[in-house]
Structures are given as structure tokens and as C-alpha cells.
Amino acid sequence: MARRWGKKQPAASPPSSQAPPQSMSSDDPHAQEEDLIAQRIQEDQGWVRVQKRTFTRWVNENLKTTEHQVESLEDDFGDGLKLVTLLQQLAGKPIGARVTKKPRIRAQKLENVKICFDFMNREGVEMVNIDNQDVADGNMKLILGMVWHLILHYQIATGFTDDDGSKGGPKNRIIKWVNSKINPWGKEIKNLGPDWNHGDILACLVNALAPGLVPDFAEMKPENARDNIDRAMEMAKEWMDIPRVIEPEDMMDPNVDELSMMTYLSYFPNAKVKDGAPCVNPGRVIARGPGITGVGLKPGKPAEFEIDASKAGENGRDKVNVEVIGPDGEPVKVDLNNNGDLTYTGAYHPEDDGQYTVKVTLVNCPIPKSPFKVGIYGDTRLDVSKVKVEGPGVTGEGILPGDVAPFTITYKDAGRGQPKVDVYGPDHQPIHVVMDNDKKEGVCKCEYQPGVFGEYTVAITYAGLPVPNSPFKVPIKPTVDINKVKTEGPGLSRCKVDEPTWFKVHTAGAGKGDLDIKIEQSDGTLLEPKITDDGKGTFKVDYTPKMTGNYKVTINYGRCKVPKSPFNVVVVPPGDAGEVIVNGDALHGIRVGMTGKLFVDASKAGKGDVKVVIIGPDNKPLEQGLEIIKSVDGVTEYGFTPECPGPYVFNVTFSGHPVPGSPFDTTVKPALDIDRIKLIVDRNNPPRINKPYKFTVDCSDAGPGPVLFGFIGDEDNDNPDKPRKDILVIVCDDKGNPIKDKKGKPITIDVKDLKNAGIAHFTFTPEIEGPIYLKAQYDGKDVPKSPMKVNVSSGIDMTKVKVYGDGITNDTPVRANKPLTITIDATHSGAGPISLDYPSKLGYTIGKDNEPKDLKIKIVGPNGEPMTCDVKKRNDKVFEVTIEPELVGTLNVEITDGLGKEHAPKSPIKINVKPSVDASKIVIGGDGIDKDKVPRKDKLCVLDVDAEKAGNAPFSIAVNGVDKTPESSKKPEKGKPKKPGDKKGDKPGEPDKDSPDQSRPGFGPDGKPTPGNYIAPDGTIKDKDDRPVKGKDGKPLTCALGGRGNPKEPKTDDNGNLLGPDGKP
């Protein structure tokens, strides 16, 4: 006895017979379904074993793309998880309820299975004699019944339809479909049992869908039944992806389980043949010639013909066969020649008058129009041109699917013979023709009934010869544009039993046609609707469902199915609890003292009462804590304020029936101590424009976690299916309005929750300068120090950036080719972490998206060229900059903000770079110094100065003569300076007449040269302060540079070392 959820009936006693009956009612599909269940679900273990194996394989076929597989139907569905996955795979949509993913106790498992039953009820899968306890308890027979209903609803119902309007249950539909495929091949079935035992029917079906896969089905012998079935199943699996859910031995059984057979056969209608399958296409074989048409043939003369199989596929090579049966029923010899190119020529030899039957097959597959009926007569009075054919049945004029298509054949003047008519539909299948032949008058009235739109073929012969214009191509065309027909209304989707419902059909612009409505109730009976025509092309259809279940509404206009027809309509009981939607943050774990929201939407459930009962931690119903806030248009809003922590259960019913998901389990957490919640900011790092700013909310000491954090503006705050946030943060102005970006949208806040620590970091990027307020609220109340004011500044305070180090604040001399270090300290600049843009060897570094950094350093050498440096980050605000100058002179160091507009104090900074030299390593030799070299008067005196190991720096030489007048010279490294020649009139030991004042630059008060004098590259003599040394006449003193090679300009290698005339350092 069929029933719905919650109305369990005692199971029927199993019949005493060992072999279950094989027949089912063919008149009433609902009764037929009940017969199947009654006969199968409660019988001996033989069918249970077969069904269990078949249904398990069917389930796993539908689960193969998931992580689940089923080994035992009675055990694996018990917790509901795999059943949930199976239903979602079959329906192609989520289950629509919260499932316990790790059920440990029986109540959780029962609830999961109940969710599945609720879903099947909404889908229109009507269960019988089973509830969630049966599944959890592993009742094998009832679970098999449940799986069978899933197969019926999701696979059989979609594969086998009754588009032609015929009635009958799934069994009859399968039989009819199979016969439609195998009849053209000379096979027919009457059942789903013994007819399949030998394997030839299954092989014929496979070959009919994929000609050539099993071409020898007609020769299969019953004694090879298992091999026949196994071969057909394997070909179907390999080339059509039809799984072997049933064993060959099961199909061989005379008492084969019909439900298992129906399950296996349900894969065939939608099967697709894979590319590369060894198939042929008999439909592309052409037979022609007098031996096929009969034109010009007479007894005693060869009847020649040609067969062209060149377009039928290579797999058909050498597999064309021609058989001819004479008027007496005896075979006629056929001569068939293979031309080698997939074409054939042949002939047979008719001896007697009469009709000959010519059968042409390709791998045992009949080609189109085969067998051919060929009339051969020796009577010269036969004149087929005098046969007249007329009527809409051969023109198609005014004929629609379902209409009778009549035509008349008049042959009284054509001579001896009789007409023969064959009609083929658009699918090339033969159609029954009714013929009323009046031989005395020579008139034959014919009619056939086209079932669908398309081109029909009417082939008429007289005495075996085609009549004029035969075969007739008859188009059956729609008279309306069906795509312009629109439908709407609740009566096409979901409605309630005994409540009037409706839908509309809009036909304006589609053309004129008849509207045909068929409403089939869940038991297969038809419901008569009321159709109202408004005269403007819109029809309103009213009907009142009389029973629950799945209805099918078929709408035809102008004999054409409207888009989406037939419509599957689910009719549910009045006051349908399955239509109630429950959500709200009260179901997701609020805290003690908070008021959570519970929304119950019964607007689509019909008439009925909503009842909410809350079971507290003490397992008793709460007497207080739940109140109705408002109720509008069937949606009721409740407020729930728990007084103690622990587990709670919400039982929500509608008219006494649990709504989907009920009961709802939740846990109320203890309240947080708001006085222990901390709002923390880093005062040393105030917010700056276009820079991320972080602050923290710390609830670690306020109470047990986990704590849920959020911010105002997060769309999840308004989602009733999301847990309520314990802490809400808002960045606002002094009036509490959220801060917005330059585009006027609320700024985005990123939340980094430290999970169970009870701490969260909030980060945002302000875009506007000025004061802002940070607010943190618990249950709508500000936490201590909230709101907290912070000021957004434009950037770093350059006046508080400190610069110190070598050559700036210490006495360490800066030498050429020696690294110097300066420190940039922005600790007190008022900014957060600092970035520095500096000239590396790869060029200036820049920020993300080419944005400028906070600070920038620029270095220019003594020669005016930019220099590079290395930077080491001591912390977020302190940098050590290392520079290695190569030239003597002044370094210019600029330290500015990232845009180069504002300088740090002391910037630009000038650093004096001095030579790097060791005078003790200078070796002097030559005239007057070496013992064997004595200087002579009026002779050039040459001194050798070797400064190779003294370092790269200028040096000075002072030569004191009798008049104490100094002479200076300079040479590059390894060079040897030449002493300037004496001027005419100078006397040794006497002051030069041109001797300058002793206070002039380059000489001390005693007239001796001061240290540091040197010869510049241009020959000018300069003192240590770079001032020209002047003679007594006030003119700068110069020196001619001598030595090997006499270089005019000092040369250096790549490392800056001075080179001598020989090119060596």
C-alpha cells in the first residue's frame, strides 16, 4: 500500500511460491507499479540476490564521479551520507538542507536519512512502505524498493516516454520501445523474461542501435545462450558505454528478475555509439536496376541489378547478400559479382509470372526498402502508366500528425495486376496502411495516419511496377510557429491537492492551430481541464488536482508540442511542510544574552500553522526566551535570547509535520565579558593615506572561544544562513557613518582571525586625510576605548628623520676606495613601516604598482656623476646605507621623501673624500741621493720616486736650493717626475730675484713648502686646500711633467689605479 513519510504500514507477508510471478498489469501503470513492488520486494532470496547486485551496480554507476562507492546497500545508506550524494547526482542539484557530515549517534543518522526522504518527496519520488528507520536499520527488501523508485523516476521515466499517447506502465513502454527497434530486423518480444533467455534478442537490439556490432544475431543458437548474452553485453559496454549491471546468468534464468532487466535496458535509449565502432550503415546502400524496380522485365529474361555499398563503411566489405523468392515461395538462384570497390552487380532469372521478393542485406542488416517486391508479367496488355493516384495522403496538403491521410488508386484501365502500397515514416520505419480494394471497379481506397511531423514516403506499385511519380514524398509540416508559443503559471510546476491551479498558453503570432491539453495524474488517469480563450491568442487552463504525486501536463498547439512540454508537475498535500523555509542566526550558535533571529517562511506552504518548540540544555522545552517580533505575508520573525549556554534543539513544524531540516541543532556559547575586550592600535604607526593600517581586537581574556569577528558592510552580516558575528568593527567618522573611498564606496576591511586565540587583526587602507574613528562592538555595545580616534596623515614627517654616520657626525675620515656608512633613522617620523628608494646597481627601486616609496636617497660623486649604494634594513624604520667612493673630492648626498620634494634635516649633505695613502712606502732615489749619482751644476738633476705601494693619491715634492725656493712636481703612480730647469741668472745659495712673499699659499712662514702640495693633471701646482701656488710675480706656478713616456694626462685602469708610461700600475 502506497504511503508518504510518517505513515508506515506493516509489510505484506511474502508469498509461498519460490518463483515470483513475471506478469504485471498492462492497463493501469500505477497498479502495475504496485504489482512490481508487491511481487518483488517481499519474495525469496533469489530475486533479492539478483536485485541487490543489479541495484548496487546502478548506484555505483551514478556515484563513479564522486568519492563514494557502495559495497552494501543495507549498511552504506544507514547514516544518510552516501544516499545524500546519490540523490544530488541524480537530481543535479544540492539536497537543500544541512547534513551532519560525521554522524556518530543514531539520532544524527536518522536525521540525515530523513533529509533525503524530504528531498525525494519534493522531487516527486513517492516512497512506499519505508521510512528513515528502515534505512538506518538496513532493511534490505525495503531499501531495494527505495532504489527501484529512484531508478523509475530518474532513469526509466526519462528514457521511455509515451509520446504517441499510448497508456501503460514502465514495463509496457520498454517492451514497445524495444520492439520499435528490433521489428525491422524480424524480431519481436512480448515480455521481459523468457524472450531474453537465449541472447539473440539482446544481440539484435545492440545490432539495431549500432548495425554491424553483432551482425550474426539471427544465427545464434539457444545452446550458446551464455556466450550470446556475454558477447552482446560486452559489445554494448565497449562501444556504447552501457554498464553490465546484470549478469548473463541472471538473464538466462527463465524467472529472470524483471526489475533488474528494466534497469539494464533503461541505459539503451540514451546510449551513443562511440567513434571507431565496427559498425556499418545499411541506410547508405543503394540498390537499383530492373531486377529491383521490375521495369521492362518479363519471364525468361535475366533481371539485372546493381548494389552500391561504397558509402556504407569499410566494415561492410564483402558482406552484401541478395536473396530472391519467387511467386511460388521457392528461392531463385542469384548471380552476384563483387566488383572489389564496394559495388556489386548481379542478376536472377524469373521463369514465371508473378511477384518476386528481393532481399538485400549488409551484414544481415536490411538496406532501405528491402525486401523489394518486383512484379514480372509477360502480359503485353499491362500499362502501369494508366494507374492514377490522388488525394492528400500523397500530397500532404492539410494533413497534421494524428490525422488520417487518405488517397485513392484507380487502376481499371491498367491491365492485369493489383496495387501494393508501402508507407515509411521520417525515421524510415514502416507505417500501417489500411486498403479497401474494389477489384471489380478497379479502385483502391487507402489511408494511413502520420504520427509526427516530417517527410513520409508512399511507395505504390502495380503488378510489381512502380506507378507514375512513385515513390511519393509527402511532407507533413506544421501550420504554426511553435517557438512563438509561451507558457506560464503555477499549474506547470508545483501545486497542492484539492486546490485550484492554473496556467496560460500564449499563442499570439504563432499562427492558427488547435490547442490540445492532456493532464495525466500520478495514477495514469486523465484530468479534464477547463480552457478559456480570451480571443486574443491567450488560453487560460484551470484544473484542480485530485491526488498527490507526479503529474504530466502535455501541451500541443497545431499538433506541435510547445517548448518544454510535457511539464512535470509535483502535486503536494495541502499545507505542505516541504515548502517551509527556516533560517536565521539563532540556528548557528549565538551567545548567552544575545538576541538571535529565527525566520520561518511559510508563504508558499499553503494553509497551516507554524509551531516552534525549543529544547534547552536540560532536555526540557523552554517556557521563555522566544518571542514573535513580526509576521508578514506568511513570514514570521522570532527573537531568541538564551539564558544559559549549552546544546539547544529547534523543532519547527507546519500543520504538525516537520519542515525540511527540522529538528535544528545548535550550541549557545557563554557570554563574553565586554570589559575585558581590548581595542589595540599602534600609536607609533598612525594611519597614512594609501598605506595599509592595522589594528587589533583582543577577546582572549573575555571568555571562551571561538570568537567570530566581522565588520559593518560585510554582506554575510545580512545572510540569515550565516552565523552571527560576536564582534563587529566599523571604521567611521565622528557621526558613526562608515568611511568611504574616493569613489564613494565603503572601504574594504580585511579580517585576519587567529581562530581559537580570540584575536583578530583588521586592516584597511584610508584614502582621505583627517580624523577617523575605530569602533568595536559586542552585541551592539561599544567595547572599552571604542570609538578610538586616529588621525590619517598624508605621509612621513621629514623634520624628524635623522641622518648620521661617517663624514657627517663622527670624526672618522672618509677615504677614497674605502666604504663609508651613514644611517637614516625615521623612528620618530610618525609613520608606520618605512620603505626606502635607493640607487642600486640595477637602478632605483620602486614600490608596488610603480608607487613612490617613503624615503629616497640620491648620491652624486665629486665628478658630478650619480653613484650607487647598498642598503641594509636594521628594522622597519632604520636603514644603514653603505657607499664606496672611488674619487677624491666632495660627495653630495640628498635624503628626501619618496617624491623628492621635502629634504631631511642637513640634506643635501656634503662629505669630503680624502686620498687613501701610506707615505712610508714611497721609495726615492736618483741624483744626490744614490751614492754613485752626484748632481752637477748646470746639469739636469733627476730624482726617481717610486709610489707604487703607497696608494692612489697625489703627492708633492719640495726641492730647496740655495735660495730656499721650493720647486714642486707631481707624477702618476710609477711615473718619474722631472725637475724643472733652472732659470737664467739664478745663483746657487742666493734668493731668487723673483722670490715671492713667504706668506703665499703653499709655503709656511719659514718659506718652506707646506705638506699636501701637489701637481694637478694640468701641471698646475696646488696646496692641500686646492689653491694655486703662486710665484713671486703672483702668477700660478706650473710644472712640466717628465719621466718615461712623458704623459700629459695621468691614465687609470678599470679599478682606478694610475698607469705609468709602460701601461702598468
Side-chain angles (χ1 to χ4, degrees), residues 923-945:
V923 179
I924 303 176
D927 297 341
I929 297 177
D930 294 338
K931 293 181 179 180
D932 56 346
K933 296 181 180 180
V934 180
R936 300 295 182 184
K937 182 180 178 182
D938 296 328
K939 297 292 183 181
L940 179 66
C941 183
V942 179
L943 297 179
D944 293 325
V945 181

Side-chain angles (χ1 to χ4, degrees), residues 363-408:
V363 290
N364 291 333
C365 306
I367 72 169
K369 301 182 182 181
S370 177
F372 300 91
K373 302 298 183 180
V374 184
I376 302 177
Y377 300 93
D379 192 344
T380 57
R381 292 178 299 169
L382 179 64
D383 187 357
V384 74
S385 65
K386 293 184 178 181
V387 178
K388 306 295 184 182
V389 182
E390 56 186 355
V394 293
T395 64
E397 184 177 355
I399 303 297
L400 294 174
D403 290 345
V404 173
F407 59 93
T408 301

Side-chain angles (χ1 to χ4, degrees), residues 96-321:
R98 185 161 56 97
V99 176
T100 303
K101 295 183 178 179
K102 295 183 179 180
R104 294 182 175 86
I105 61 176
R106 178 175 172 81
Q108 293 173 326
K109 297 178 181 179
L110 286 173
E111 175 59 22
N112 282 353
V113 180
K114 178 183 176 297
I115 289 172
C116 295
F117 273 83
D118 291 339
F119 179 78
M120 288 187 284
N121 183 37
R122 294 195 300 273
E123 284 283 288
V125 183
E126 189 171 355
M127 293 291 105
V128 293
N129 291 335
I130 186 171
D131 61 16
N132 58 345
Q133 296 187 34
D134 296 323
V135 176
D137 293 339
N139 188 319
M140 188 67 248
K141 293 181 180 180
L142 296 183
I143 291 174
L144 289 176
M146 177 188 71
V147 176
W148 168 245
H149 277 278
L150 294 177
I151 297 171
L152 269 177
H153 182 81
Y154 288 108
Q155 189 155 313
I156 293 179
T158 59
F160 303 97
T161 61
D162 59 345
D163 293 340
D164 60 356
S166 63
K167 297 181 180 179
K171 175 184 174 182
N172 281 354
R173 292 179 183 177
I174 292 176
I175 291 175
K176 182 177 179 180
W177 181 85
V178 171
N179 279 331
S180 72
K181 303 302 176 184
I182 67 175
N183 284 164
W185 303 80
K187 297 288 185 179
E188 185 176 6
I189 62 167
K190 296 181 180 179
N191 55 58
L192 296 178
D195 286 353
W196 298 80
N197 291 161
H198 298 157
D200 58 329
I201 294 297
L202 179 61
C204 180
L205 177 61
V206 173
N207 198 71
L209 298 177
L213 284 188
V214 196
D216 57 343
F217 65 88
E219 289 110 36
M220 287 182 169
K221 300 183 181 301
E223 55 266 29
N224 299 327
R226 193 202 180 283
D227 291 341
N228 298 339
I229 297 173
D230 182 73
R231 179 184 168 202
M233 283 185 171
E234 193 58 32
M235 296 301 285
K237 179 182 178 182
E238 180 178 359
W239 297 110
M240 301 167 70
D241 276 337
I242 295 178
R244 296 178 59 152
V245 297
I246 189 172
E247 292 292 332
E249 290 80 6
D250 300 332
M251 191 177 291
M252 292 169 57
D253 190 340
N255 295 318
V256 57
D257 180 68
E258 290 185 345
L259 304 191
S260 297
M261 282 293 298
M262 294 169 70
T263 302
Y264 178 61
L265 293 175
S266 65
Y267 285 99
F268 280 83
N270 296 319
K272 303 294 183 183
V273 181
K274 295 181 180 178
D275 292 338
C279 298
V280 296
N281 191 343
R284 293 191 174 185
V285 178
I286 300 174
R288 53 180 172 254
I292 300 298
T293 64
V295 176
L297 292 182
K298 291 184 178 182
K301 292 185 177 181
E304 297 178 346
F305 58 85
E306 297 177 3
I307 309 295
D308 184 353
S310 60
K311 296 183 180 179
E314 282 290 333
N315 292 320
R317 182 177 290 277
D318 302 328
K319 295 179 181 179
V320 168
N321 186 54

Side-chain angles (χ1 to χ4, degrees), residues 33-64:
E33 183 179 311
E34 294 296 339
D35 288 345
L36 287 171
I37 300 303
Q39 294 170 9
R40 295 297 183 215
I41 300 299
Q42 298 294 335
E43 294 180 358
D44 61 68
Q45 291 303 309
W47 68 262
V48 172
R49 172 184 54 80
V50 175
Q51 276 190 17
K52 181 179 178 181
R53 181 168 57 238
T54 301
F55 290 0
T56 300
R57 291 174 179 174
W58 179 84
V59 168
N60 285 331
E61 273 296 311
N62 287 284
L63 292 177
K64 65 183 179 182

Side-chain angles (χ1 to χ4, degrees), residues 750-808:
D750 178 65
V751 183
K752 184 178 181 181
D753 189 350
L754 302 185
K755 302 302 180 185
N756 295 327
I759 299 174
H761 300 305
F762 297 83
T763 304
F764 67 97
T765 302
E767 297 183 359
I768 301 176
E769 187 175 2
I772 59 174
Y773 294 83
L774 310 178
K775 294 185 70 172
Q777 295 183 329
Y778 168 69
D779 196 20
K781 305 179 184 65
D782 285 327
V783 306
K785 297 185 180 180
S786 174
M788 183 178 291
K789 180 180 178 181
V790 293
N791 189 59
V792 179
S793 63
S794 59
I796 188 170
D797 185 353
M798 293 299 297
T799 63
K800 295 184 179 180
V801 175
K802 298 179 180 180
V803 184
Y804 52 87
D806 298 341
I808 302 176

Side-chain angles (χ1 to χ4, degrees), residues 1 183 284 287 380 405 421 449 505 532 574 640 705 744 830 866 874 934:
M1 180 177 181
N183 284 164
R284 293 191 174 185
T380 57
V421 178
Q449 188 174 24
V505 183
T532 304
F640 170 58
R874 190 184 296 174
V934 180

